[in-house]
Amino acid sequence: MIKPWIFEFMQAPEPSDGKALPGTVTAVFNEGYAFWLEAERLGFEGIFFSEHHFGHSLSPSPNLLIAAVSRHTSRLRLGTMGNVVPLYEPWRIIEELTMLDHLTNGRLEIGFAAGVPQELQRIGLGIEEARERFNEALEILDAALINPVVNHSGKYWKLENLSLMPGVFLQPAPPKWTTVVSTGSAQKSAQRRSKICTGFESVSRISEIFDVYRSECARLGLPAGPDQLAVRRNISISRDAAEAREEAKAAKEATLKVVAGDPRVVKHAASTLDAPRAGAGFSLHDDDYIAGTPTQVAEQVIDQCRKCGAGHLLAMLGRSISPRRRESLALFGEEVIPQMRRAQIG
């Protein structure tokens, strides 16, 4: 089975004369809210909200979105992919996540991310310091997920007998995810007993990343099946295959705007021949854009997940709110999800 998720970017509306109109911003949130509630009816596994700052997204605080949606849904699992750890005090992250675990009645998925370099640099946080903060904070976060009394002595944090509140997660504790774009990050995530999610790259490159994760899990005696692995993909779906392909082209252009200035990115890689070396960054590959009729989309999703062994598919069904996005949601939910849930992986 392939579990279907929505990956929510929350595209900001194009500003008028340099400013976003308040009513327009409110409409994005209202339309998004209706979209997410409909996802529960259509049988999606859950929603992962992204976190971005200073640019193209209206989701600088995804935990607020989780709290809002949680009170009007009963089945959807809700999480971030992921909280940008270097921006926060790790003790604060844990306290919020514990609250969300209870507000969602145990439907929380915890996701951590290192952040986008060009966003971090806007507040004077360089790549090296951000990575140091990320790694040290993960030590605190992983420990606090087990024991709410934190003791830690490091470069950036010194905490002694710090009691976190609410302090108690529901049991079992929420699943833990990490976004990765390299084999090194995948190996570290395995050591931390974290599930992993990746995107952008070719299926072949993702398979390499997942193979490193599986090998490290095997060495440690940990599970590393399809349920530990997720792929995020841009999905363009329509009854008209040509229309879907045109929407996929627009999705590529939108992605290029979002990653513009990211020093890790090779802007385009149609094959693995020009993909970056392990640990050198990541590339934008045509495999990231799945387009076609519901039957064609289902075939591509299942084929990609089988090739890399992923048991989760995070679908980005457009970036902005529009009638076509609601149509795409319905088509994917009614005609693709049943095929995904019947698919055999691994």
Side-chain angles (χ1 to χ4, degrees):
M1 177 175 66
I2 305 168
K3 295 179 180 179
W5 301 75
I6 288 173
F7 180 82
E8 184 57 78
F9 181 79
M10 286 293 290
Q11 179 79 39
E14 290 294 329
S16 176
D17 298 326
K19 294 183 179 180
L21 298 176
T24 304
V25 173
T26 302
V28 172
F29 285 115
N30 290 341
E31 288 293 321
Y33 190 75
F35 185 87
W36 306 325
L37 297 188
E38 181 67 5
E40 178 163 85
R41 186 190 70 80
L42 288 167
F44 281 83
E45 190 77 12
I47 304 170
F48 279 109
F49 296 96
S50 66
E51 178 180 338
H52 285 283
H53 301 267
F54 318 125
H56 301 282
S57 170
L58 291 182
S59 183
S61 187
N63 290 350
L64 290 178
L65 298 175
I66 292 173
V69 175
S70 70
R71 309 314 289 171
H72 292 89
T73 55
S74 61
R75 187 193 55 76
L76 278 178
R77 299 196 64 81
L78 301 166
T80 59
M81 195 66 82
N83 283 131
V84 181
V85 172
L87 296 178
Y88 305 105
E89 296 292 327
W91 54 266
R92 174 69 177 178
I93 295 175
I94 287 294
E95 290 188 325
E96 282 199 9
L97 292 177
T98 311
M99 290 179 65
L100 288 174
D101 191 33
H102 291 276
L103 287 172
T104 62
N105 291 314
R107 292 180 286 134
L108 181 66
E109 302 272 329
I110 295 175
F112 297 138
V116 180
Q118 65 268 32
E119 293 180 7
L120 300 175
Q121 289 168 354
R122 293 290 298 276
I123 59 168
L125 191 55
I127 293 177
E128 183 176 351
E129 181 181 346
R131 177 56 61 178
E132 289 179 346
R133 285 181 173 273
F134 181 62
N135 289 333
E136 184 176 338
L138 287 181
E139 294 178 14
I140 298 171
L141 293 167
D142 288 344
L145 287 170
I146 300 170
N147 184 351
V149 180
V150 177
N151 287 279
H152 176 85
S153 180
K155 180 176 179 179
Y156 295 102
W157 291 280
K158 298 186 186 301
L159 308 171
E160 184 176 354
N161 292 327
L162 189 65
S163 296
L164 306 181
M165 294 298 292
V168 180
F169 283 98
L170 294 173
Q171 296 300 316
K176 181 172 64 179
W177 292 86
T178 306
T179 60
V180 303
V181 293
S182 69
T183 54
S185 296
Q187 184 178 39
K188 180 179 177 63
S189 297
Q191 295 164 357
R192 296 178 45 246
R193 292 172 164 78
S194 172
K195 299 182 180 187
I196 60 173
C197 177
T198 193
F200 299 113
E201 293 278 10
S202 68
V203 177
S204 296
R205 175 59 179 159
I206 289 174
S207 295
E208 292 174 2
I209 292 171
F210 286 175
D211 283 345
V212 170
Y213 178 87
R214 283 185 280 253
S215 295
E216 186 66 8
C217 284
R219 186 184 71 82
L220 297 170
L222 300 173
D227 197 48
Q228 278 70 46
L229 305 169
V231 175
R232 195 266 311 133
R233 288 307 196 210
N234 285 274
I235 305 292
S236 300
I237 184 170
S238 172
R239 296 283 184 208
D240 184 339
E243 180 182 40
R245 288 192 294 270
E246 286 302 311
E247 291 177 352
K249 291 179 182 178
K252 293 179 185 179
E253 293 302 316
T255 301
L256 288 172
K257 289 181 181 179
V258 171
V259 302
D262 191 326
R264 303 169 299 170
V265 176
V266 174
K267 287 189 177 181
H268 178 79
S271 73
T272 56
L273 295 177
D274 53 351
R277 299 184 306 277
F282 64 94
S283 59
L284 307 181
H285 196 280
D286 289 344
D287 286 351
D288 195 33
Y289 305 93
I290 291 175
T293 64
T295 298
Q296 292 169 335
V297 166
E299 290 173 350
Q300 293 174 70
V301 165
I302 293 169
D303 180 62
Q304 288 201 18
C305 288
R306 282 178 172 162
K307 285 179 177 176
C308 68
H312 303 263
L313 188 283
L314 278 57
M316 187 183 292
L317 291 161
R319 291 177 178 270
S320 58
I321 301 300
S322 68
R324 269 291 300 131
R325 190 168 187 245
R326 295 292 291 272
E327 293 173 14
S328 297
L329 180 74
L331 285 174
F332 194 92
E334 293 169 0
E335 300 188 36
V336 178
I337 284 179
Q339 297 184 62
M340 291 174 62
R341 291 199 178 276
R342 291 193 299 266
Q344 298 297 314
I345 304 295

